[in-house]
Amino acid sequence: MELMSTITEMGHEEVVFFHSRDLGLKAIVAIHDTTLGPALGGCRMLPYKSDEEALYDVLRLSRGMTYKNAVAGLNLGGGKSVIIGDPKKDKSEAYFRAFGRFIESLGGRYITAEDVNTAVDDMENIFQETSHVVGIPPAHGGSGDPSPFTALGTLRGIEAAVEYKYGSKDLSQLSFAVQGVGHVGSHLVRMLRETGAKVYVCDTDAGRVRHTVEQYGAEAVGLDAIYETDAKIFAPCALGGSINAETLDKLKCEIIAGSANNQLDTDATGDELEKRGILYVPDYVINAGGVINVAIERQGYNRERATHQVDRIFDICKHIFSIAQREGLPTYKTADHLAEKRIEEVGKVRRPYLPARRRPINGRHTLS
């Protein structure tokens, strides 16, 4: 990867590499765009095969956060962080406190949160060193685990797609294939089963599958078989790139609506879905519930307000479907255009976010 040319091409403002020799911590923060406000996006921890793989992931994810926050109507830019490490071996209080010190050094241009393989306890350790973190425990004024809200937003997006496709948002007579039953996927399965819908599930973790089957009455299928079920709706809730040239021909669904980031491997795949009449709910639109929820912490967390704003994903999705139909565009392009339009219009009255002068309060640094 040609680093500078890639960053320029993708439009990033800043990419920062962090390393703690004593703790073995290696992390990357990518700030994509701060036109709408400071960059907000989660921190994921994975044992990446190479630094290049980690860099590509954080660049792509941070760009997605810019679009997600813009379409969700948040006054926040897009950013993301990745920690290169094994979450089963490398986690410790010191590890995440060191990461928190790195985040603090950015002066508020980036706000971190939970993501893949990071949790509320990790955010609490980060919070010991910086105020630029959300998704912290309620005891500190935070909202805690955002995954139920990500699942709720995904459900609202599914309802919008079903109503658009079939004329009613009743899910009880439909079938779903949920790929990945981690924090978000398992909540989504629960919500779907509560409507009476039939749900197929798979996951690389057999224990998660077993728990979901026993707890919610879902039906387990193999990792490859999940694409070929008779489910009307396919819900990718694992890692990205699951909709690609290899899996496309296996799909029998009529709607793709899930919580995973970067579900389409390329734009060409999105175009092909449109040609085949498969309704695709843009990933960063439908999975915005979690970031909407944690963003409210910055004004003083209120669960009722968070639920109300996450429910609006239904209307946002319906708006995208309507424009896409009217203009003859794939839904993913329509969502991109809406995000870009908002950034352009708001950018005329705002400038990219710069760190404010920091002042210590009670031993902590806050923005003034």
Side-chain angles (χ1 to χ4, degrees), residues 150-188:
T150 304
L152 176 61
T154 302
L155 183 69
R156 295 292 176 257
I158 288 172
E159 290 173 338
V162 167
E163 183 176 89
Y164 177 79
K165 191 84 170 178
Y166 305 125
S168 169
K169 63 179 182 180
D170 179 21
L171 309 182
S172 62
Q173 302 303 310
L174 296 174
S175 53
F176 296 80
V178 178
Q179 181 188 48
V181 286
H183 290 297
V184 176
S186 62
H187 283 296
L188 179 62

PDB file of all heavy atoms in Angstrom, residues 150-188:
ATOM      1  N   THR A 150     -27.533  -0.671  18.622  1.00  0.00           N
ATOM      2  CA  THR A 150     -27.169  -1.018  17.250  1.00  0.00           C
ATOM      3  C   THR A 150     -28.162  -2.038  16.707  1.00  0.00           C
ATOM      4  O   THR A 150     -28.613  -1.941  15.553  1.00  0.00           O
ATOM      5  CB  THR A 150     -25.745  -1.604  17.196  1.00  0.00           C
ATOM      6  OG1 THR A 150     -24.821  -0.680  17.772  1.00  0.00           O
ATOM      7  CG2 THR A 150     -25.332  -1.883  15.751  1.00  0.00           C
ATOM      8  N   ALA A 151     -28.519  -3.013  17.536  1.00  0.00           N
ATOM      9  CA  ALA A 151     -29.489  -4.024  17.124  1.00  0.00           C
ATOM     10  C   ALA A 151     -30.868  -3.413  16.898  1.00  0.00           C
ATOM     11  O   ALA A 151     -31.570  -3.760  15.937  1.00  0.00           O
ATOM     12  CB  ALA A 151     -29.566  -5.132  18.176  1.00  0.00           C
ATOM     13  N   LEU A 152     -31.269  -2.478  17.771  1.00  0.00           N
ATOM     14  CA  LEU A 152     -32.562  -1.820  17.609  1.00  0.00           C
ATOM     15  C   LEU A 152     -32.619  -1.043  16.295  1.00  0.00           C
ATOM     16  O   LEU A 152     -33.616  -1.109  15.565  1.00  0.00           O
ATOM     17  CB  LEU A 152     -32.819  -0.879  18.784  1.00  0.00           C
ATOM     18  CG  LEU A 152     -34.106  -0.047  18.709  1.00  0.00           C
ATOM     19  CD1 LEU A 152     -35.337  -0.941  18.668  1.00  0.00           C
ATOM     20  CD2 LEU A 152     -34.187   0.936  19.883  1.00  0.00           C
ATOM     21  N   GLY A 153     -31.551  -0.307  15.996  1.00  0.00           N
ATOM     22  CA  GLY A 153     -31.511   0.425  14.734  1.00  0.00           C
ATOM     23  C   GLY A 153     -31.557  -0.509  13.536  1.00  0.00           C
ATOM     24  O   GLY A 153     -32.202  -0.216  12.516  1.00  0.00           O
ATOM     25  N   THR A 154     -30.870  -1.650  13.661  1.00  0.00           N
ATOM     26  CA  THR A 154     -30.890  -2.636  12.586  1.00  0.00           C
ATOM     27  C   THR A 154     -32.304  -3.175  12.385  1.00  0.00           C
ATOM     28  O   THR A 154     -32.765  -3.356  11.249  1.00  0.00           O
ATOM     29  CB  THR A 154     -29.924  -3.792  12.902  1.00  0.00           C
ATOM     30  OG1 THR A 154     -28.603  -3.259  13.091  1.00  0.00           O
ATOM     31  CG2 THR A 154     -29.891  -4.806  11.768  1.00  0.00           C
ATOM     32  N   LEU A 155     -33.001  -3.433  13.477  1.00  0.00           N
ATOM     33  CA  LEU A 155     -34.386  -3.891  13.390  1.00  0.00           C
ATOM     34  C   LEU A 155     -35.256  -2.846  12.701  1.00  0.00           C
ATOM     35  O   LEU A 155     -36.100  -3.183  11.849  1.00  0.00           O
ATOM     36  CB  LEU A 155     -34.933  -4.183  14.782  1.00  0.00           C
ATOM     37  CG  LEU A 155     -36.366  -4.732  14.831  1.00  0.00           C
ATOM     38  CD1 LEU A 155     -36.422  -6.137  14.262  1.00  0.00           C
ATOM     39  CD2 LEU A 155     -36.901  -4.707  16.263  1.00  0.00           C
ATOM     40  N   ARG A 156     -35.076  -1.576  13.047  1.00  0.00           N
ATOM     41  CA  ARG A 156     -35.870  -0.522  12.408  1.00  0.00           C
ATOM     42  C   ARG A 156     -35.563  -0.445  10.897  1.00  0.00           C
ATOM     43  O   ARG A 156     -36.470  -0.222  10.081  1.00  0.00           O
ATOM     44  CB  ARG A 156     -35.584   0.828  13.067  1.00  0.00           C
ATOM     45  CG  ARG A 156     -36.027   0.905  14.517  1.00  0.00           C
ATOM     46  CD  ARG A 156     -37.544   0.872  14.643  1.00  0.00           C
ATOM     47  NE  ARG A 156     -37.949   0.855  16.049  1.00  0.00           N
ATOM     48  CZ  ARG A 156     -38.364  -0.233  16.693  1.00  0.00           C
ATOM     49  NH1 ARG A 156     -38.464  -1.388  16.045  1.00  0.00           N
ATOM     50  NH2 ARG A 156     -38.704  -0.182  17.963  1.00  0.00           N
ATOM     51  N   GLY A 157     -34.306  -0.626  10.531  1.00  0.00           N
ATOM     52  CA  GLY A 157     -33.959  -0.635   9.118  1.00  0.00           C
ATOM     53  C   GLY A 157     -34.566  -1.822   8.393  1.00  0.00           C
ATOM     54  O   GLY A 157     -35.004  -1.712   7.230  1.00  0.00           O
ATOM     55  N   ILE A 158     -34.596  -2.968   9.044  1.00  0.00           N
ATOM     56  CA  ILE A 158     -35.231  -4.159   8.477  1.00  0.00           C
ATOM     57  C   ILE A 158     -36.724  -3.900   8.269  1.00  0.00           C
ATOM     58  O   ILE A 158     -37.285  -4.231   7.211  1.00  0.00           O
ATOM     59  CB  ILE A 158     -35.008  -5.374   9.397  1.00  0.00           C
ATOM     60  CG1 ILE A 158     -33.547  -5.836   9.314  1.00  0.00           C
ATOM     61  CG2 ILE A 158     -35.945  -6.517   9.026  1.00  0.00           C
ATOM     62  CD1 ILE A 158     -33.182  -6.906  10.333  1.00  0.00           C
ATOM     63  N   GLU A 159     -37.364  -3.307   9.268  1.00  0.00           N
ATOM     64  CA  GLU A 159     -38.790  -3.013   9.144  1.00  0.00           C
ATOM     65  C   GLU A 159     -39.061  -2.070   7.974  1.00  0.00           C
ATOM     66  O   GLU A 159     -40.046  -2.243   7.237  1.00  0.00           O
ATOM     67  CB  GLU A 159     -39.307  -2.392  10.443  1.00  0.00           C
ATOM     68  CG  GLU A 159     -39.370  -3.368  11.608  1.00  0.00           C
ATOM     69  CD  GLU A 159     -39.710  -2.699  12.919  1.00  0.00           C
ATOM     70  OE1 GLU A 159     -39.500  -1.472  13.038  1.00  0.00           O
ATOM     71  OE2 GLU A 159     -40.174  -3.410  13.825  1.00  0.00           O
ATOM     72  N   ALA A 160     -38.193  -1.076   7.801  1.00  0.00           N
ATOM     73  CA  ALA A 160     -38.352  -0.145   6.675  1.00  0.00           C
ATOM     74  C   ALA A 160     -38.221  -0.869   5.345  1.00  0.00           C
ATOM     75  O   ALA A 160     -39.002  -0.626   4.411  1.00  0.00           O
ATOM     76  CB  ALA A 160     -37.315   0.978   6.782  1.00  0.00           C
ATOM     77  N   ALA A 161     -37.242  -1.759   5.246  1.00  0.00           N
ATOM     78  CA  ALA A 161     -37.022  -2.507   4.004  1.00  0.00           C
ATOM     79  C   ALA A 161     -38.187  -3.444   3.708  1.00  0.00           C
ATOM     80  O   ALA A 161     -38.637  -3.569   2.558  1.00  0.00           O
ATOM     81  CB  ALA A 161     -35.716  -3.292   4.097  1.00  0.00           C
ATOM     82  N   VAL A 162     -38.670  -4.118   4.744  1.00  0.00           N
ATOM     83  CA  VAL A 162     -39.787  -5.049   4.577  1.00  0.00           C
ATOM     84  C   VAL A 162     -41.052  -4.300   4.155  1.00  0.00           C
ATOM     85  O   VAL A 162     -41.776  -4.746   3.263  1.00  0.00           O
ATOM     86  CB  VAL A 162     -40.013  -5.842   5.886  1.00  0.00           C
ATOM     87  CG1 VAL A 162     -41.344  -6.576   5.862  1.00  0.00           C
ATOM     88  CG2 VAL A 162     -38.862  -6.829   6.104  1.00  0.00           C
ATOM     89  N   GLU A 163     -41.302  -3.154   4.782  1.00  0.00           N
ATOM     90  CA  GLU A 163     -42.478  -2.363   4.396  1.00  0.00           C
ATOM     91  C   GLU A 163     -42.357  -1.878   2.960  1.00  0.00           C
ATOM     92  O   GLU A 163     -43.326  -1.905   2.190  1.00  0.00           O
ATOM     93  CB  GLU A 163     -42.645  -1.180   5.339  1.00  0.00           C
ATOM     94  CG  GLU A 163     -43.889  -0.353   5.035  1.00  0.00           C
ATOM     95  CD  GLU A 163     -44.100   0.772   6.029  1.00  0.00           C
ATOM     96  OE1 GLU A 163     -43.562   1.881   5.775  1.00  0.00           O
ATOM     97  OE2 GLU A 163     -44.779   0.542   7.039  1.00  0.00           O
ATOM     98  N   TYR A 164     -41.164  -1.441   2.582  1.00  0.00           N
ATOM     99  CA  TYR A 164     -40.945  -0.953   1.218  1.00  0.00           C
ATOM    100  C   TYR A 164     -41.103  -2.085   0.194  1.00  0.00           C
ATOM    101  O   TYR A 164     -41.700  -1.894  -0.866  1.00  0.00           O
ATOM    102  CB  TYR A 164     -39.546  -0.347   1.117  1.00  0.00           C
ATOM    103  CG  TYR A 164     -39.180   0.138  -0.259  1.00  0.00           C
ATOM    104  CD1 TYR A 164     -39.649   1.364  -0.733  1.00  0.00           C
ATOM    105  CD2 TYR A 164     -38.368  -0.624  -1.093  1.00  0.00           C
ATOM    106  CE1 TYR A 164     -39.311   1.817  -2.001  1.00  0.00           C
ATOM    107  CE2 TYR A 164     -38.022  -0.181  -2.368  1.00  0.00           C
ATOM    108  CZ  TYR A 164     -38.502   1.034  -2.812  1.00  0.00           C
ATOM    109  OH  TYR A 164     -38.167   1.477  -4.073  1.00  0.00           O
ATOM    110  N   LYS A 165     -40.607  -3.263   0.548  1.00  0.00           N
ATOM    111  CA  LYS A 165     -40.598  -4.385  -0.383  1.00  0.00           C
ATOM    112  C   LYS A 165     -41.942  -5.098  -0.451  1.00  0.00           C
ATOM    113  O   LYS A 165     -42.402  -5.488  -1.537  1.00  0.00           O
ATOM    114  CB  LYS A 165     -39.511  -5.382   0.039  1.00  0.00           C
ATOM    115  CG  LYS A 165     -39.203  -6.462  -0.992  1.00  0.00           C
ATOM    116  CD  LYS A 165     -38.219  -5.990  -2.026  1.00  0.00           C
ATOM    117  CE  LYS A 165     -37.742  -7.126  -2.896  1.00  0.00           C
ATOM    118  NZ  LYS A 165     -36.816  -6.669  -3.949  1.00  0.00           N
ATOM    119  N   TYR A 166     -42.581  -5.264   0.703  1.00  0.00           N
ATOM    120  CA  TYR A 166     -43.774  -6.103   0.762  1.00  0.00           C
ATOM    121  C   TYR A 166     -45.051  -5.363   1.163  1.00  0.00           C
ATOM    122  O   TYR A 166     -46.127  -5.964   1.203  1.00  0.00           O
ATOM    123  CB  TYR A 166     -43.547  -7.260   1.739  1.00  0.00           C
ATOM    124  CG  TYR A 166     -42.318  -8.080   1.440  1.00  0.00           C
ATOM    125  CD1 TYR A 166     -41.338  -8.268   2.416  1.00  0.00           C
ATOM    126  CD2 TYR A 166     -42.108  -8.648   0.188  1.00  0.00           C
ATOM    127  CE1 TYR A 166     -40.198  -9.025   2.154  1.00  0.00           C
ATOM    128  CE2 TYR A 166     -40.971  -9.402  -0.089  1.00  0.00           C
ATOM    129  CZ  TYR A 166     -40.015  -9.573   0.910  1.00  0.00           C
ATOM    130  OH  TYR A 166     -38.886 -10.317   0.641  1.00  0.00           O
ATOM    131  N   GLY A 167     -44.936  -4.078   1.506  1.00  0.00           N
ATOM    132  CA  GLY A 167     -46.124  -3.309   1.813  1.00  0.00           C
ATOM    133  C   GLY A 167     -46.555  -3.335   3.263  1.00  0.00           C
ATOM    134  O   GLY A 167     -47.540  -2.688   3.640  1.00  0.00           O
ATOM    135  N   SER A 168     -45.853  -4.063   4.116  1.00  0.00           N
ATOM    136  CA  SER A 168     -46.162  -4.122   5.546  1.00  0.00           C
ATOM    137  C   SER A 168     -44.882  -4.396   6.307  1.00  0.00           C
ATOM    138  O   SER A 168     -44.033  -5.161   5.838  1.00  0.00           O
ATOM    139  CB  SER A 168     -47.174  -5.230   5.839  1.00  0.00           C
ATOM    140  OG  SER A 168     -47.285  -5.462   7.230  1.00  0.00           O
ATOM    141  N   LYS A 169     -44.747  -3.806   7.487  1.00  0.00           N
ATOM    142  CA  LYS A 169     -43.533  -4.038   8.264  1.00  0.00           C
ATOM    143  C   LYS A 169     -43.684  -5.194   9.257  1.00  0.00           C
ATOM    144  O   LYS A 169     -42.843  -5.393  10.130  1.00  0.00           O
ATOM    145  CB  LYS A 169     -43.092  -2.775   8.993  1.00  0.00           C
ATOM    146  CG  LYS A 169     -44.068  -2.243  10.033  1.00  0.00           C
ATOM    147  CD  LYS A 169     -43.468  -0.991  10.683  1.00  0.00           C
ATOM    148  CE  LYS A 169     -44.385  -0.446  11.771  1.00  0.00           C
ATOM    149  NZ  LYS A 169     -43.795   0.766  12.401  1.00  0.00           N
ATOM    150  N   ASP A 170     -44.736  -5.965   9.115  1.00  0.00           N
ATOM    151  CA  ASP A 170     -44.941  -7.153   9.945  1.00  0.00           C
ATOM    152  C   ASP A 170     -43.873  -8.197   9.611  1.00  0.00           C
ATOM    153  O   ASP A 170     -43.730  -8.601   8.459  1.00  0.00           O
ATOM    154  CB  ASP A 170     -46.337  -7.720   9.697  1.00  0.00           C
ATOM    155  CG  ASP A 170     -46.600  -8.978  10.511  1.00  0.00           C
ATOM    156  OD1 ASP A 170     -45.899  -9.190  11.525  1.00  0.00           O
ATOM    157  OD2 ASP A 170     -47.498  -9.750  10.124  1.00  0.00           O
ATOM    158  N   LEU A 171     -43.106  -8.615  10.606  1.00  0.00           N
ATOM    159  CA  LEU A 171     -42.009  -9.566  10.388  1.00  0.00           C
ATOM    160  C   LEU A 171     -42.375 -10.995  10.767  1.00  0.00           C
ATOM    161  O   LEU A 171     -41.594 -11.923  10.517  1.00  0.00           O
ATOM    162  CB  LEU A 171     -40.783  -9.142  11.206  1.00  0.00           C
ATOM    163  CG  LEU A 171     -40.300  -7.697  11.063  1.00  0.00           C
ATOM    164  CD1 LEU A 171     -39.056  -7.485  11.913  1.00  0.00           C
ATOM    165  CD2 LEU A 171     -40.029  -7.337   9.611  1.00  0.00           C
ATOM    166  N   SER A 172     -43.527 -11.196  11.330  1.00  0.00           N
ATOM    167  CA  SER A 172     -43.857 -12.474  11.964  1.00  0.00           C
ATOM    168  C   SER A 172     -43.880 -13.655  11.004  1.00  0.00           C
ATOM    169  O   SER A 172     -43.605 -14.791  11.405  1.00  0.00           O
ATOM    170  CB  SER A 172     -45.202 -12.376  12.686  1.00  0.00           C
ATOM    171  OG  SER A 172     -46.249 -12.102  11.763  1.00  0.00           O
ATOM    172  N   GLN A 173     -44.204 -13.405   9.735  1.00  0.00           N
ATOM    173  CA  GLN A 173     -44.310 -14.501   8.772  1.00  0.00           C
ATOM    174  C   GLN A 173     -43.066 -14.635   7.895  1.00  0.00           C
ATOM    175  O   GLN A 173     -43.064 -15.428   6.947  1.00  0.00           O
ATOM    176  CB  GLN A 173     -45.540 -14.287   7.879  1.00  0.00           C
ATOM    177  CG  GLN A 173     -46.847 -14.177   8.642  1.00  0.00           C
ATOM    178  CD  GLN A 173     -47.118 -15.381   9.517  1.00  0.00           C
ATOM    179  OE1 GLN A 173     -47.041 -16.527   9.052  1.00  0.00           O
ATOM    180  NE2 GLN A 173     -47.417 -15.144  10.791  1.00  0.00           N
ATOM    181  N   LEU A 174     -42.026 -13.892   8.223  1.00  0.00           N
ATOM    182  CA  LEU A 174     -40.818 -13.884   7.400  1.00  0.00           C
ATOM    183  C   LEU A 174     -39.709 -14.714   8.025  1.00  0.00           C
ATOM    184  O   LEU A 174     -39.755 -15.060   9.204  1.00  0.00           O
ATOM    185  CB  LEU A 174     -40.336 -12.444   7.198  1.00  0.00           C
ATOM    186  CG  LEU A 174     -41.294 -11.527   6.423  1.00  0.00           C
ATOM    187  CD1 LEU A 174     -40.772 -10.102   6.431  1.00  0.00           C
ATOM    188  CD2 LEU A 174     -41.494 -12.024   5.006  1.00  0.00           C
ATOM    189  N   SER A 175     -38.698 -15.019   7.217  1.00  0.00           N
ATOM    190  CA  SER A 175     -37.540 -15.769   7.698  1.00  0.00           C
ATOM    191  C   SER A 175     -36.272 -14.954   7.489  1.00  0.00           C
ATOM    192  O   SER A 175     -36.155 -14.196   6.515  1.00  0.00           O
ATOM    193  CB  SER A 175     -37.425 -17.111   6.960  1.00  0.00           C
ATOM    194  OG  SER A 175     -37.431 -16.916   5.560  1.00  0.00           O
ATOM    195  N   PHE A 176     -35.319 -15.127   8.411  1.00  0.00           N
ATOM    196  CA  PHE A 176     -34.094 -14.334   8.426  1.00  0.00           C
ATOM    197  C   PHE A 176     -32.881 -15.244   8.560  1.00  0.00           C
ATOM    198  O   PHE A 176     -32.928 -16.254   9.279  1.00  0.00           O
ATOM    199  CB  PHE A 176     -34.113 -13.347   9.595  1.00  0.00           C
ATOM    200  CG  PHE A 176     -35.184 -12.315   9.502  1.00  0.00           C
ATOM    201  CD1 PHE A 176     -36.499 -12.620   9.861  1.00  0.00           C
ATOM    202  CD2 PHE A 176     -34.909 -11.039   9.053  1.00  0.00           C
ATOM    203  CE1 PHE A 176     -37.501 -11.667   9.773  1.00  0.00           C
ATOM    204  CE2 PHE A 176     -35.904 -10.072   8.965  1.00  0.00           C
ATOM    205  CZ  PHE A 176     -37.207 -10.399   9.327  1.00  0.00           C
ATOM    206  N   ALA A 177     -31.800 -14.861   7.911  1.00  0.00           N
ATOM    207  CA  ALA A 177     -30.514 -15.547   8.071  1.00  0.00           C
ATOM    208  C   ALA A 177     -29.546 -14.555   8.688  1.00  0.00           C
ATOM    209  O   ALA A 177     -29.141 -13.586   8.030  1.00  0.00           O
ATOM    210  CB  ALA A 177     -29.991 -16.041   6.723  1.00  0.00           C
ATOM    211  N   VAL A 178     -29.198 -14.759   9.944  1.00  0.00           N
ATOM    212  CA  VAL A 178     -28.331 -13.832  10.668  1.00  0.00           C
ATOM    213  C   VAL A 178     -26.919 -14.414  10.721  1.00  0.00           C
ATOM    214  O   VAL A 178     -26.686 -15.458  11.335  1.00  0.00           O
ATOM    215  CB  VAL A 178     -28.853 -13.562  12.091  1.00  0.00           C
ATOM    216  CG1 VAL A 178     -27.907 -12.626  12.833  1.00  0.00           C
ATOM    217  CG2 VAL A 178     -30.263 -12.972  12.034  1.00  0.00           C
ATOM    218  N   GLN A 179     -25.997 -13.729  10.083  1.00  0.00           N
ATOM    219  CA  GLN A 179     -24.604 -14.165  10.009  1.00  0.00           C
ATOM    220  C   GLN A 179     -23.809 -13.447  11.100  1.00  0.00           C
ATOM    221  O   GLN A 179     -23.504 -12.269  10.990  1.00  0.00           O
ATOM    222  CB  GLN A 179     -24.019 -13.838   8.636  1.00  0.00           C
ATOM    223  CG  GLN A 179     -22.577 -14.270   8.433  1.00  0.00           C
ATOM    224  CD  GLN A 179     -22.022 -13.745   7.123  1.00  0.00           C
ATOM    225  OE1 GLN A 179     -22.166 -12.568   6.800  1.00  0.00           O
ATOM    226  NE2 GLN A 179     -21.401 -14.632   6.353  1.00  0.00           N
ATOM    227  N   GLY A 180     -23.490 -14.179  12.171  1.00  0.00           N
ATOM    228  CA  GLY A 180     -22.766 -13.579  13.284  1.00  0.00           C
ATOM    229  C   GLY A 180     -23.691 -13.270  14.439  1.00  0.00           C
ATOM    230  O   GLY A 180     -24.617 -12.472  14.306  1.00  0.00           O
ATOM    231  N   VAL A 181     -23.468 -13.949  15.574  1.00  0.00           N
ATOM    232  CA  VAL A 181     -24.340 -13.736  16.739  1.00  0.00           C
ATOM    233  C   VAL A 181     -23.505 -13.304  17.942  1.00  0.00           C
ATOM    234  O   VAL A 181     -23.606 -13.841  19.030  1.00  0.00           O
ATOM    235  CB  VAL A 181     -25.179 -14.997  17.063  1.00  0.00           C
ATOM    236  CG1 VAL A 181     -26.281 -15.164  16.040  1.00  0.00           C
ATOM    237  CG2 VAL A 181     -24.322 -16.252  17.115  1.00  0.00           C
ATOM    238  N   GLY A 182     -22.674 -12.281  17.715  1.00  0.00           N
ATOM    239  CA  GLY A 182     -21.935 -11.658  18.797  1.00  0.00           C
ATOM    240  C   GLY A 182     -22.851 -10.722  19.560  1.00  0.00           C
ATOM    241  O   GLY A 182     -24.058 -10.946  19.667  1.00  0.00           O
ATOM    242  N   HIS A 183     -22.307  -9.635  20.081  1.00  0.00           N
ATOM    243  CA  HIS A 183     -23.096  -8.711  20.903  1.00  0.00           C
ATOM    244  C   HIS A 183     -24.320  -8.191  20.163  1.00  0.00           C
ATOM    245  O   HIS A 183     -25.438  -8.234  20.677  1.00  0.00           O
ATOM    246  CB  HIS A 183     -22.227  -7.533  21.350  1.00  0.00           C
ATOM    247  CG  HIS A 183     -21.184  -7.894  22.359  1.00  0.00           C
ATOM    248  ND1 HIS A 183     -21.489  -8.376  23.607  1.00  0.00           N
ATOM    249  CD2 HIS A 183     -19.826  -7.854  22.308  1.00  0.00           C
ATOM    250  CE1 HIS A 183     -20.391  -8.623  24.282  1.00  0.00           C
ATOM    251  NE2 HIS A 183     -19.361  -8.314  23.513  1.00  0.00           N
ATOM    252  N   VAL A 184     -24.121  -7.690  18.945  1.00  0.00           N
ATOM    253  CA  VAL A 184     -25.243  -7.108  18.200  1.00  0.00           C
ATOM    254  C   VAL A 184     -26.127  -8.200  17.607  1.00  0.00           C
ATOM    255  O   VAL A 184     -27.356  -8.160  17.729  1.00  0.00           O
ATOM    256  CB  VAL A 184     -24.730  -6.169  17.089  1.00  0.00           C
ATOM    257  CG1 VAL A 184     -25.898  -5.642  16.264  1.00  0.00           C
ATOM    258  CG2 VAL A 184     -23.936  -5.010  17.679  1.00  0.00           C
ATOM    259  N   GLY A 185     -25.514  -9.182  16.964  1.00  0.00           N
ATOM    260  CA  GLY A 185     -26.275 -10.232  16.299  1.00  0.00           C
ATOM    261  C   GLY A 185     -27.201 -10.982  17.234  1.00  0.00           C
ATOM    262  O   GLY A 185     -28.347 -11.297  16.885  1.00  0.00           O
ATOM    263  N   SER A 186     -26.735 -11.266  18.438  1.00  0.00           N
ATOM    264  CA  SER A 186     -27.572 -12.010  19.381  1.00  0.00           C
ATOM    265  C   SER A 186     -28.777 -11.178  19.825  1.00  0.00           C
ATOM    266  O   SER A 186     -29.890 -11.697  19.969  1.00  0.00           O
ATOM    267  CB  SER A 186     -26.752 -12.446  20.600  1.00  0.00           C
ATOM    268  OG  SER A 186     -26.245 -11.328  21.305  1.00  0.00           O
ATOM    269  N   HIS A 187     -28.570  -9.870  20.026  1.00  0.00           N
ATOM    270  CA  HIS A 187     -29.700  -8.994  20.368  1.00  0.00           C
ATOM    271  C   HIS A 187     -30.700  -8.938  19.210  1.00  0.00           C
ATOM    272  O   HIS A 187     -31.923  -8.945  19.429  1.00  0.00           O
ATOM    273  CB  HIS A 187     -29.215  -7.582  20.687  1.00  0.00           C
ATOM    274  CG  HIS A 187     -28.608  -7.429  22.044  1.00  0.00           C
ATOM    275  ND1 HIS A 187     -29.330  -7.618  23.210  1.00  0.00           N
ATOM    276  CD2 HIS A 187     -27.347  -7.098  22.435  1.00  0.00           C
ATOM    277  CE1 HIS A 187     -28.536  -7.409  24.255  1.00  0.00           C
ATOM    278  NE2 HIS A 187     -27.333  -7.095  23.811  1.00  0.00           N
ATOM    279  N   LEU A 188     -30.181  -8.892  17.992  1.00  0.00           N
ATOM    280  CA  LEU A 188     -31.061  -8.844  16.828  1.00  0.00           C
ATOM    281  C   LEU A 188     -31.885 -10.128  16.716  1.00  0.00           C
ATOM    282  O   LEU A 188     -33.095 -10.079  16.447  1.00  0.00           O
ATOM    283  CB  LEU A 188     -30.260  -8.620  15.547  1.00  0.00           C
ATOM    284  CG  LEU A 188     -31.082  -8.576  14.257  1.00  0.00           C
ATOM    285  CD1 LEU A 188     -32.078  -7.417  14.286  1.00  0.00           C
ATOM    286  CD2 LEU A 188     -30.166  -8.463  13.037  1.00  0.00           C
TER     287      LEU A 188
END
